[in-house]
Amino acid sequence: MGEEKQTDIKQLKSPINKEIMNIAWPVLIELVLSSLFGMINMMMLGNIADHAYAAAAVSAVGVTNQPLFLGLSVVQALNIGGTALIARYFGAGKHDRMENVMKHVMIISMILSAPLALAAFVYSDQIMTFMGAQPDTVEVGRLYFRIICISYLLQSFNFSISGSLRGIGETQIPMGVNLRANFLNVGGNALLIYGLFGVPAFGIEGAAISTVVANTVACFLLIRYLRSGKSKLNFSFAHPFHFSMKTMKSLAKIGLPSALEQLVLRSGMILFIQIVSGLGTVVFAAHNIGMNILTLSFTLGQAFGIAASSLVGRALGAGDANLAEKYASRTAKIGSLWGAIIGVAFFFGAEYIVSFYSSDPEIIRNAAIAIRVAAITQPFQSHQLIVAGSLRGAGDTIFPLISTFLGILIIRVAAATFFVQVLGLGILGAWLAVMLDQIIRWFLIAMRFQSGKWKKMKLA
């Protein structure tokens, strides 16, 4: 027993664990607090005095989030390519190539984002109706959707910078910038949603205006840091941009499967939401609260997945596949343990957590059902997200696409249709479908990692 304890302590203090935590903890804090701020924003809308307006506002945010997340996911997929490529160049000591890669990602992000934002602005009503929104939700959410499209453009640009910095392990800067922006966003929401200190109460539109301002500030701060010369990633607008077909091919090799994966993921989510939204505004509001809380648990897997991606990419860039495997395995173990702890907290604290969002007993009852099902899924979800991050860091993005296609677009949608529309299980059936999807994806991703094929991926 004494020897086992000593081994555990050594592992805890090992250089690998320190490297993992040095990259993961700023990302984790950033993502957790961003999720908490998002939760607070949802709580603010859910606690507007007019219960009918509040339910429609919460539903409107849930409905509009999915098409916007679809657009952001395409940009994030491109960033995965940029992160992996920059990590490889950083590990191989080819620092002079990193700036041009980042500029490719910045430019392509904006080329992809602008048409999507314009389409969402012009066809806001049609998109919300297609998503299954009730007429009251469309009416309340129309202007919110149009304003938030501006924020989407800024957020896309910010993602390209943050993704590049994470490739070289500089995760504390995006954390600091996003924390400041989110504090500003929450303060602005309180001011503009409720109309404090003599400011008119804008309701849901106030939340959108506050988000645009916050993302504008974040954009300014990120650019200022890049131009300060403090980063290992050199950047200057004065340095000429050199278009490189080789860079484009490398980004496409990693980014296109990731983009398709995100398109599949969001398409599946849209179909899933159409099924759940048919249960009525109150149940759909409860579902959105459940998803909002679930986002907090996703951040754990995402943070350690980003750390694994950066470390695996750098190790493979340095030609050390064994070290890459150690990084991946250790990161997955740490993340899964914390996932289990979060699951316990969710299961036993469900009603208490939901009560912060709404005082409506029907919403609390339905959302608590969703959270308890999600609690059981936590260890599988965390492990799957982290190992998938390791595969992406190696450039192995095809298999995460396959697992997402099978899990979300087939298993989740089919199971939700059966559980909700055939068996009539309501919100319980919808979330059982989520659990089934996560477990199947966990199994597929774990099998791919065990095969070791990801170690042989060539990026550039």
Side-chain angles (χ1 to χ4, degrees):
M1 283 293 288
E3 287 182 10
E4 286 180 14
K5 272 191 174 181
Q6 284 186 344
T7 302
D8 290 341
I9 292 168
K10 282 181 182 178
Q11 282 195 347
L12 200 62
K13 295 181 177 180
S14 73
I16 288 177
N17 279 25
K18 287 180 180 178
E19 285 186 89
I20 290 168
M21 294 309 298
N22 282 341
I23 295 178
W25 78 260
V27 181
L28 181 60
I29 290 173
E30 175 192 346
L31 294 177
V32 166
L33 290 181
S34 293
S35 295
L36 285 173
F37 287 133
M39 292 165 74
I40 291 167
N41 293 343
M42 189 79 84
M43 290 173 194
M44 288 179 180
L45 292 172
N47 283 288
I48 291 173
D50 183 339
H51 278 197
Y53 180 89
V58 170
S59 295
V61 171
V63 164
T64 56
N65 272 349
Q66 290 309 314
L68 288 174
F69 285 163
L70 177 61
L72 283 172
S73 65
V74 174
V75 175
Q76 284 179 310
L78 175 66
N79 290 336
I80 288 168
T83 300
L85 197 55
I86 287 171
R88 283 285 182 105
Y89 283 144
F90 187 71
K94 300 175 181 178
H95 295 187
D96 56 310
R97 300 188 185 182
M98 297 190 303
E99 180 183 359
N100 209 45
V101 172
M102 180 170 63
K103 287 183 175 178
H104 276 79
V105 176
M106 286 177 170
I107 291 168
I108 300 167
S109 291
M110 298 314 296
I111 291 172
L112 290 173
S113 300
L116 293 171
L118 181 62
F121 187 92
V122 174
Y123 298 107
S124 56
D125 283 26
Q126 293 90 330
I127 291 170
M128 285 191 287
T129 301
F130 173 75
M131 292 292 298
Q134 304 296 319
D136 59 340
T137 301
V138 174
E139 187 64 31
V140 167
R142 180 183 298 115
L143 185 54
Y144 168 84
F145 196 10
R146 288 175 174 166
I147 297 171
I148 214 73
C149 286
I150 301 167
S151 178
Y152 162 68
L153 287 172
L154 294 163
Q155 204 169 359
S156 297
F157 187 77
N158 294 346
F159 279 177
S160 64
I161 299 175
S162 297
S164 298
L165 289 171
R166 286 168 181 155
I168 60 171
E170 290 186 10
T171 54
Q172 294 187 33
I173 299 305
M175 176 194 72
V177 167
N178 282 306
L179 288 187
R180 279 178 274 182
N182 279 308
F183 272 115
L184 179 62
N185 192 7
V186 169
N189 278 355
L191 190 69
L192 298 174
I193 290 172
Y194 299 122
L196 304 178
F197 308 112
V199 175
F202 289 101
I204 191 173
E205 290 88 1
I209 294 167
S210 178
T211 303
V212 171
V213 172
N215 278 314
T216 302
V217 170
C219 185
F220 169 77
L221 292 174
L222 285 168
I223 292 173
R224 187 178 70 174
Y225 173 71
L226 284 176
R227 298 191 67 190
S228 70
K230 297 175 182 177
S231 175
K232 297 172 187 173
L233 181 59
N234 294 322
F235 178 85
S236 173
F237 290 112
H239 296 165
F241 169 71
H242 299 291
F243 177 79
S244 167
M245 184 56 69
K246 182 181 178 182
T247 299
M248 285 298 297
K249 285 179 179 177
S250 296
L251 289 173
K253 183 178 180 180
I254 307 167
L256 283 179
S258 292
L260 287 172
E261 179 192 351
Q262 292 299 320
L263 286 170
V264 166
L265 174 66
R266 295 304 164 188
S267 298
M269 288 297 294
I270 287 169
L271 293 173
F272 178 65
I273 279 174
Q274 286 177 323
I275 295 167
V276 183
S277 64
L279 295 170
T281 299
V282 170
V283 175
F284 188 52
H287 168 76
N288 283 321
I289 289 170
M291 290 301 293
N292 192 249
I293 294 168
L294 185 63
T295 302
L296 180 63
S297 68
F298 273 121
T299 60
L300 181 78
Q302 288 171 333
F304 282 99
I306 287 168
S309 181
S310 176
L311 290 167
V312 166
R314 279 196 264 169
L316 291 176
D320 194 338
N322 288 331
L323 180 60
E325 185 169 4
K326 286 179 182 177
Y327 280 137
S329 298
R330 193 72 58 80
T331 308
K333 285 178 183 177
I334 296 170
S336 298
L337 174 62
W338 281 105
I341 293 169
I342 288 174
V344 171
F346 276 6
F347 192 88
F348 290 104
E351 284 88 358
Y352 179 74
I353 296 168
V354 176
S355 68
F356 286 99
Y357 286 84
S358 176
S359 57
D360 187 325
E362 192 65 16
I363 288 179
I364 291 173
R365 185 181 68 82
N366 280 283
I369 291 170
I371 292 169
R372 284 203 169 93
V373 176
I376 299 167
T377 317
Q378 290 309 300
F380 302 100
Q381 173 186 291
S382 297
H383 191 275
Q384 179 261 128
L385 288 170
I386 295 164
V387 176
S390 297
L391 295 179
R392 293 187 187 103
D396 186 359
T397 52
I398 294 289
F399 205 82
L401 164 62
I402 294 169
S403 68
T404 300
F405 178 83
L406 291 173
I408 292 231
L409 205 55
I410 295 179
I411 300 298
R412 182 184 293 199
V413 173
T417 302
F418 180 70
F419 292 150
V420 173
Q421 297 180 355
V422 178
L423 297 184
L425 295 178
I427 197 168
L428 172 62
W431 282 72
L432 285 174
V434 172
M435 182 172 71
L436 189 60
D437 155 39
Q438 287 287 355
I439 291 173
I440 286 172
R441 276 195 282 163
W442 162 76
F443 176 76
L444 293 172
I445 290 292
M447 291 297 290
R448 176 63 175 187
F449 180 78
Q450 290 299 323
S451 75
K453 293 179 181 178
W454 54 275
K455 298 177 187 178
K456 301 170 184 176
M457 302 296 296
K458 303 292 181 186
L459 302 191

